[in-house]
Amino acid sequence: MTDRIDDYRNYELSRRQLFIFCSAGYGVLFGVIWLFFHSLLLSLLSGALIWRFLPACCRHLARRRRRELLRQFRNLLYSLSSSVAAGRQMEEAILEAEESLSFLYGEDTPLMTELRHMGRSIRENNENDRRLLTDFARRSGCEDINSFVQVYLTCRSMGGDLARIIAHTSEVMAERMEIEEQIAVLTAQKKLEGRIISLMPLAMLLMLNLLSPSYIDVLYTTPAGHILMALCLGGIAAGVVWMEKLTDVEN
């Protein structure tokens, strides 16, 4: 079982994940540099640049974890809405959600980790539900979760139909997530096409190296060839970065 996450906006790779990332990334960088320059020393040294890509990898994994948490939180709202409508207090609704959703999600999923922490705090320390939900919203880094908690706190302070508010929030979140999924589907094809186009120069260069190395030997043996290959590699890298930014709907 994993402990609760202090900040969902930050992702820390495990030792296994870090090893896989560094090994695979080093191999890819080594192969690309070798393909463009045929220099063993330069390929060995450039492979160390994989550390520059580590923050981007952590940001990607953190976004993916927040999306997973948000999808699971929507089901939590359905469970809370049913319990509150049946006359349960929020603390009791959280404990019931921990039990009911355990059949739907694994123990190490983000939501179950949070529910275990809340349940343990309520049972052992008699923690206040407002404090637990506020802390969860702060750490989640999700606008929808924070908005729900703020509405819930306002409703508790000023009075209101809590069950109706939770149900309405669930519907709004479901509609928003459906729109985001539709946008993701629309951009997925373009993103795939862009990545294929980015790989085509590498595939062509590899094919020429295998089938007709003498045809492009001048690119590896002359200063002008080295400069041209460096410009080509820089252009491909810039194109990949630009394409990813254009198709990143979250940014």
Side-chain angles (χ1 to χ4, degrees):
M1 296 183 183
T2 58
D3 296 329
R4 74 184 183 116
I5 297 169
D6 292 331
D7 191 344
Y8 281 86
R9 288 161 292 197
N10 299 324
Y11 192 98
E12 184 176 351
L13 296 177
S14 65
R15 290 185 177 180
R16 180 174 179 273
Q17 290 174 319
L18 185 61
F19 174 77
I20 294 175
F21 172 78
C22 291
S23 301
Y26 189 94
V28 170
L29 285 177
F30 180 93
V32 170
I33 298 302
W34 172 260
L35 187 61
F36 274 85
F37 299 103
H38 282 190
S39 171
L40 180 60
L41 178 61
L42 186 60
S43 299
L44 291 172
L45 294 176
S46 62
L49 293 175
I50 188 60
W51 290 105
R52 299 293 299 272
F53 297 93
L54 184 59
C57 176
C58 291
R59 287 194 297 270
H60 169 73
L61 293 176
R63 287 199 301 267
R64 189 171 68 178
R65 184 173 60 187
R66 288 200 302 273
R67 288 196 299 268
E68 180 185 5
L69 175 65
L70 194 57
R71 285 193 296 267
Q72 296 171 359
F73 183 75
R74 184 178 64 179
N75 289 329
L76 172 62
L77 289 183
Y78 291 140
S79 176
L80 295 179
S81 177
S82 301
S83 298
V84 172
R88 305 286 194 278
Q89 296 296 321
M90 181 57 75
E91 291 91 343
E92 297 172 326
I94 291 174
L95 295 176
E96 288 185 355
E98 178 187 2
E99 180 179 355
S100 61
L101 294 179
S102 62
F103 298 100
L104 185 60
Y105 300 116
E107 291 186 350
D108 293 332
T109 55
L111 180 64
M112 292 309 303
T113 301
E114 294 296 334
L115 287 177
R116 281 199 310 273
H117 166 69
M118 292 183 189
R120 185 166 56 249
S121 299
I122 292 172
R123 287 188 295 265
E124 299 177 2
N125 303 324
N126 198 27
E127 282 280 0
N128 185 285
D129 62 306
R130 302 184 189 184
R131 182 176 178 180
L132 290 172
L133 291 175
T134 300
D135 176 66
F136 173 48
R138 176 186 59 81
R139 293 183 292 103
S140 71
C142 298
E143 181 181 351
D144 289 336
I145 296 177
N146 185 66
S147 298
F148 164 75
V149 172
Q150 294 303 318
V151 170
Y152 169 72
L153 295 177
T154 303
C155 182
R156 284 291 302 270
S157 300
M158 304 182 64
D161 189 345
L162 185 57
R164 179 174 173 272
I165 290 175
I166 296 177
H168 176 69
T169 303
S170 303
E171 294 176 1
V172 172
M173 287 184 61
E175 292 175 359
R176 178 172 176 174
M177 292 178 65
E178 184 178 354
I179 294 174
E180 291 178 349
E181 289 173 358
Q182 291 176 355
I183 294 175
V185 170
L186 292 175
T187 59
Q189 181 180 358
K190 297 301 179 182
K191 183 176 292 189
L192 178 60
E193 292 174 356
R195 289 173 178 173
I196 293 175
I197 292 174
S198 300
L199 291 175
M200 285 181 62
L202 302 181
M204 292 179 62
L205 186 58
L206 177 62
M207 182 181 66
L208 289 173
N209 271 276
L210 294 176
L211 301 181
S212 183
S214 60
Y215 182 74
I216 57 173
D217 187 60
V218 65
L219 295 175
Y220 298 105
T221 57
T222 64
H226 293 158
I227 294 174
L228 181 61
M229 294 297 271
L231 292 175
C232 291
L233 181 58
I236 293 173
V240 170
V241 172
W242 188 33
M243 182 270 298
E244 291 293 334
K245 287 184 176 295
L246 287 176
T247 56
D248 190 355
V249 295
E250 293 189 5
N251 294 327

